Amino acid sequence: MRSLPAWLSAALVLALTLGTLLAVALRAEVGRGLSSGDWAAIRFTVGQAIVSALVSVALAVPVARALARRRFRWRGALVMLLGAPFILPVIVAVLGLLAVFGRGGLLNAGLAGLGVAPVSIYGAGGVVLAHVFFNLPLAVRLILQGWLSIPAERFQLAAQLNAPIWRLLERPMLARVVPGAVLVIFLICLTSFAVALTLGGGPKATTVELAIWQAVRFDFDLGRAALLSCIQFGLCAVAAVIAWRVTPVDGFGSGLDRVVARWDQSAWDWAWLLAVTLFLATPLAMVVWRGVPGLADLGPGVWAAAGRSVAVAAGSTVLCLLLGLSLALRGGIVMSIVGVLPLAASALVMGTGLFLMLFPLANPATLALPVTLCVNAVMALPFVLRVLGPAVTDIRASYGRLAETLGLRGLSLLRIVILPRLRRPLGFAAGLTAALSLGDLGVIALFATDAQETLPLAMYRLMGAYRMDAAAGAALLLLALALGVFWICDRGGRMDVDA
Amino acid sequence: MKTQTLSLGLASVGAILCASTALAQTPVLNVLTYDSFTSEWGPGPAIEKAFEAECACDLVFTSAGDGAALLARLQLEGPRTDADVVLGLDTNLTAAARDTGLFAPHGVTADLTMPVTWDDDTFLPFDWGYLAFVANKDTAPVTSFRALADSDLKIVIEDPRSSTPGLGLLMWVHAVYGDEAPQIWADLADNIVTVTPGWTEAYNLFLAGEADAVLSYTTSPAYHLIAEDDDTKTSWAFDEGNYLQVEVAAKVANTDQPALADQFMAFIAQPGFQDVIPETNWMYPATKVSLPTGFDTLTVPSKGLLLSSQDAANVRDALVETWRTALSQ
């Protein structure tokens, strides 16, 4: 009984990931195998994803630590800002980064003032920089959740005993949280396409996703697309198994949900917080700066698209939380794998597969928004599970026996014991899903007609029609909406933290 | 009072029923095209109005990404497609489109004004443009790929594996240099700041000041001049000629509206369609219509280059491989 919602969720995820892949493969003609170029793409893809993930997480640990042990006035705003880059459409974020690190950007203007030769953002360094910009915030938030999951009582006990916090509390927590964070970011970077290509400098920066793109869009070689997608799945599976093996399952026992009062602060905390704020906020400020004049140029079509995007985001958030909660409550290795699958799926293959599956039944154009809603929910699921999974495990470990003794089961267990303690991760997960869904430009492009245009699509169409000022305005609107929904959803969690 | 309300209500229901029957009787012509064609700033809305005024039909545009996505969509749908006309493929894609066997001859004779001869009874051009590097006027222009390679200028280009102008650039270098193309690409490597997935990313990098020039069209400066009153942009004519992008339309063979589809194909070559193109699609119209003020200031290359669609299809894979090898060094 307890498992039924979980199996339904798993079935939906499997249908959208492996099911769509199968639909593509069934239409395929015999593939040609892999060329040497494909192998080069695989090597580059994996290499840059490893470096990007390690750098993002390595930088995120001290930042999360500083956030976990400092209380200050703008902390809430900073934590929210940390959610912003992750949900920006790639081209908007890249233009923001270029305004800082590009040829005519602030950094090079400063260097020129000092008489230093300009630096170039293009190449492997630029790819990693952009990936860190996108993923550092996510890593910080995931690791911060880990820090906040350590009960305050533990810190108090450690303080009384004058015990080393790092060795006893923080290092074990990191050992539990970091592999998952590395894995998630590795997988995000693995399927990266536009960042790698735009900032990579050229054909050296070829990714598997580009090869899939080319196979579907230009060659209509579905067999090759399916083969390359299988390779992405394979890489993902290997990474998932490694992460699962190195993640020890242990908890810290229960606390009384008190807020931690930390005494082990250092001045380095401020340095880290200042650095990360500058790194993330400056490009975003440039997006705002450029977008404000364009706001006046936005026609009614763009506002309607914005409304549509918000509706889709709300729907996919509800669906994703239902999926995530049912899977997290069920737990187990199968559910972990199901939860990671969407990260390895190619949005292009998913869209193509869905098109093939739905076309005999209905006109795909009329289903554009429901399909986008479902796909967005499933795509956000890995992040939501990464947040909810450990939290549910902790609650079960801490309150499971007590609840059993009291005879709490099913919905009453969920309502009385689990949901109140999940408020913070649920809020964060909802904010993340809604914001991700707002910025998504994947499947919609394959299905949509003008009547189903979403805000990111409207922004790309404005750019395609040379209306760069209006597009900058649309980008600002997107940023504001994404931050807005993130703020609303995440608010409960942040208030807890600030208290 | 009450009866009056009731009869009013009945009358309005009747009116709605009549209207919906009338709507059901209006034939619908489905035209599959690319995104920017149907956007509120594109040619779609004006063309829809003009054609519906003379066809007593409902013209419905459906958009699907860019030109390449259009072809993929069509191949996905196969013979069951609802589309009656497909609008927006270019000559790099027409060979593959012809191979699907989905298209019928257009039967239109039009007085085309393109710098190349056109002889294709299936695909009818509706607009065209010269590929060109677009730069600021204060950048010293270059007039050949060799001069570009010898200069310190930085350029942004599009990836031929994911974009149609990027593929056009490969055809351009091949058309001019043939077997020497690999050397040209090797020499150009240090001028290329980066390669982007599509036109949008490339053009934005250029506008953001990341490069001196970007691969676009000779008509791009017209947008800045006419719509933004900005005359600082120009494009470069190359001595050996500039490659053409020709956008075409074709009639779907098993359309359920053959007469309407034929009428629309003929309409494509008429002023009601052609007049809209320059200031909405920012390309040259395919027939002789008067161009808006500002188009006279555009760079006009001495020669237009174009490979036949079959030649383009034949050399494509080899050109991409050459390009890739040269730029991976």
Side-chain angles (χ1 to χ4, degrees):
Chain A
M1 188 57 207
R2 193 182 98 189
S3 298
L4 185 64
W7 287 114
L8 286 177
S9 307
L12 179 64
V13 175
L14 285 175
L16 280 176
T17 51
L18 297 179
T20 50
L21 180 60
L22 189 68
V24 169
L26 285 178
R27 263 290 286 271
E29 288 133 38
V30 182
R32 288 172 300 186
L34 292 179
S35 68
S36 65
D38 292 333
W39 285 109
I42 292 171
R43 278 195 303 275
F44 172 80
T45 307
V46 174
Q48 59 84 18
I50 289 175
V51 175
S52 299
L54 291 179
V55 172
S56 298
V57 172
L59 292 177
V61 169
V63 175
R65 191 176 197 215
L67 276 174
R69 59 191 189 185
R70 288 286 177 182
R71 302 277 170 273
F72 52 94
R73 189 159 174 211
W74 295 102
R75 187 172 178 283
L78 178 60
V79 172
M80 191 179 73
L81 173 78
L82 288 175
F86 190 64
I87 43 82
L88 275 181
V90 168
I91 187 168
V92 177
V94 165
L95 287 173
L97 280 174
L98 288 171
V100 179
F101 300 99
R103 191 165 91 143
L106 299 174
L107 179 67
N108 277 327
L111 289 178
L114 296 172
V116 180
V119 294
S120 170
I121 192 180
Y122 300 96
V127 175
V128 172
L129 179 80
H131 279 159
V132 171
F133 177 76
F134 277 110
N135 296 306
L136 173 66
L138 179 70
V140 169
R141 286 302 303 254
L142 291 175
I143 294 170
L144 184 60
Q145 292 289 343
W147 243 292
L148 297 180
S149 73
I150 304 176
E153 290 80 0
R154 290 282 161 140
F155 284 104
Q156 288 166 355
L157 191 63
Q160 280 169 5
L161 302 174
N162 201 17
I165 292 177
W166 170 251
R167 200 163 56 79
L168 280 181
L169 297 178
E170 297 183 322
R171 205 171 61 190
M173 181 279 294
L174 286 176
R176 203 165 50 120
V177 173
V178 160
V182 171
L183 169 72
V184 166
I185 293 167
F186 170 78
L187 291 175
I188 295 170
C189 299
L190 201 62
T191 52
S192 155
F193 159 53
V195 166
L197 209 52
T198 304
L199 292 176
K204 275 173 280 194
T206 281
T207 63
V208 179
E209 187 78 3
L210 172 65
I212 296 175
W213 172 278
Q214 188 193 7
V216 174
R217 296 282 284 254
F218 269 66
D219 301 332
F220 200 66
D221 188 345
L222 294 183
R224 207 168 115 76
L227 177 67
L228 289 161
S229 300
C230 286
I231 289 169
Q232 255 187 22
F233 266 110
L235 292 171
C236 157
V238 172
V241 169
I242 294 171
W244 183 67
R245 290 295 295 272
V246 299
T247 306
V249 186
D250 67 356
F252 284 100
S254 58
L256 292 173
D257 294 350
R258 285 201 201 103
V259 171
V260 187
R262 298 284 297 265
W263 66 98
D264 59 326
Q265 300 163 339
S266 93
W268 282 105
D269 289 349
W270 295 122
W272 278 108
L273 291 178
L274 184 68
V276 79
T277 306
L278 276 179
F279 177 56
L280 297 176
T282 326
L284 294 176
M286 296 309 285
V287 173
V288 176
W289 174 254
R290 288 196 179 157
V292 169
L295 282 179
D297 293 347
L298 297 181
V302 176
W303 292 102
R308 239 170 266 132
S309 281
V310 171
V312 168
S316 62
T317 303
V318 170
L319 179 59
C320 184
L321 288 188
L322 288 177
L323 293 176
L325 206 53
S326 61
L327 286 172
L329 289 174
R330 175 66 174 74
I333 176 69
V334 177
M335 296 306 153
S336 318
I337 292 172
V338 168
V340 178
L341 275 182
L343 277 181
S346 156
L348 201 62
V349 171
M350 205 185 275
T352 308
L354 276 173
F355 199 101
L356 287 170
M357 288 154 83
L358 294 174
F359 187 68
L361 308 172
N363 178 5
T366 60
L367 297 170
L369 292 182
V371 159
T372 307
L373 190 154
C374 286
V375 170
N376 284 347
V378 168
M379 289 302 247
L381 191 57
F383 310 109
V384 166
L385 275 180
R386 195 44 60 195
V387 175
L388 294 186
V392 169
T393 309
D394 279 354
I395 295 169
R396 279 199 188 286
S398 309
Y399 298 94
R401 271 184 227 154
L402 179 64
E404 193 77 16
T405 340
L406 294 174
L408 285 174
R409 285 194 191 169
L411 284 179
S412 49
L413 174 74
L414 193 64
R415 189 170 54 81
I416 297 170
V417 180
I418 297 181
L419 283 184
R421 271 162 198 82
L422 269 185
R423 220 177 58 160
R424 190 155 57 198
L426 268 180
F428 172 49
L432 202 58
T433 311
L436 266 179
S437 172
L438 267 173
D440 172 67
L441 184 75
V443 178
I444 187 80
L446 199 62
F447 283 79
T449 60
D450 298 329
Q452 284 104 30
E453 189 177 70
T454 57
L455 188 53
L457 194 55
M459 192 195 78
Y460 267 75
R461 286 178 178 174
L462 279 167
M463 285 179 166
Y466 290 94
R467 307 203 174 233
M468 311 303 178
D469 290 341
L476 173 58
L477 180 61
L478 188 61
L479 177 66
L481 281 177
L483 276 179
V485 296
F486 191 85
W487 182 76
I488 289 168
C489 296
D490 196 38
R491 197 172 158 190
R494 285 188 308 109
M495 282 162 86
D496 261 10
V497 176
D498 285 340
Chain B
M1 190 66 199
K2 207 165 192 178
T3 31
Q4 203 183 358
T5 322
L6 184 66
S7 58
L8 259 180
L10 281 176
S12 60
V13 169
I16 291 167
L17 282 176
C18 287
S20 55
T21 332
L23 203 65
Q25 279 168 351
T26 308
V28 176
L29 183 72
N30 287 303
V31 175
L32 185 63
T33 186
Y34 51 78
D35 273 349
S36 58
F37 198 87
T38 63
S39 73
E40 54 189 289
W41 324 274
I47 286 168
E48 187 176 342
K49 209 171 147 199
F51 186 64
E52 283 178 352
E54 66 177 58
C55 76
C57 70
D58 183 15
L59 175 61
V60 177
F61 283 114
T62 304
S63 58
D66 56 14
L70 205 59
L71 179 58
R73 168 84 170 251
L74 216 61
Q75 285 168 313
L76 275 176
E77 296 182 344
R80 291 197 50 231
T81 181
D82 281 339
D84 303 305
V85 170
V86 175
L87 189 113
L89 299 171
D90 74 4
T91 46
N92 292 322
L93 300 166
T94 47
R98 198 187 304 274
D99 287 346
T100 63
L102 292 172
F103 295 102
H106 55 70
V108 178
T109 39
D111 196 7
L112 298 175
T113 53
M114 300 195 299
V116 289
T117 51
W118 188 263
D119 183 23
D120 189 320
D121 62 0
T122 305
F123 297 101
L124 178 70
F126 64 88
D127 70 11
W128 61 278
Y130 295 101
L131 286 179
F133 287 96
V134 171
N136 284 318
K137 275 186 178 159
D138 53 15
T139 306
V142 294
T143 54
S144 71
F145 283 106
R146 282 201 202 284
L148 184 58
D150 291 341
S151 75
D152 292 330
L153 293 167
K154 297 290 179 195
I155 57 172
V156 184
I157 61 172
E158 295 87 350
D159 195 311
R161 294 167 295 175
S162 55
S163 86
T164 43
L167 188 55
L169 180 64
L170 293 196
M171 302 292 170
W172 187 359
V173 172
H174 170 75
V176 174
Y177 297 99
D179 294 341
E180 290 171 58
Q183 189 54 48
I184 292 291
W185 281 114
D187 294 344
L188 276 173
D190 62 349
N191 299 92
I192 298 170
V193 176
T194 196
V195 177
T196 65
W199 178 90
T200 307
E201 291 87 349
Y203 208 79
N204 274 283
L205 289 191
F206 163 67
L207 291 180
E210 290 300 306
D212 301 304
V214 58
L215 178 70
S216 188
Y217 303 90
T218 56
T219 40
S220 299
Y223 175 82
H224 299 287
L225 184 69
I226 296 172
E228 296 181 332
D229 209 16
D230 166 12
D231 68 348
T232 59
K233 308 281 188 292
T234 187
S235 65
W236 300 335
F238 278 14
D239 293 339
E240 296 96 340
N242 288 45
Y243 200 76
L244 293 185
Q245 180 167 39
V246 180
E247 298 196 286
V248 299
K251 177 184 150 189
V252 175
N254 62 347
T255 164
D256 55 357
Q257 298 286 353
L260 263 184
D262 284 338
Q263 193 185 346
F264 185 75
M265 292 302 290
F267 179 73
I268 285 175
Q270 289 161 17
F273 187 110
Q274 294 286 312
D275 281 339
V276 179
I277 291 296
E279 283 190 73
T280 52
N281 227 24
W282 303 101
M283 297 281 273
Y284 284 110
T287 62
K288 190 163 181 61
V289 292
S290 59
L291 291 167
T293 321
F295 268 66
D296 51 322
T297 65
L298 298 178
T299 306
V300 179
S302 56
K303 190 176 160 196
L305 306 167
L306 187 66
L307 266 64
S308 77
S309 63
Q310 196 52 56
D311 288 347
N314 291 343
V315 294
R316 201 198 95 182
D317 287 347
L319 294 187
V320 169
E321 202 44 50
T322 304
W323 173 83
R324 197 176 158 170
T325 312
L327 291 192
S328 294
Q329 302 305 313

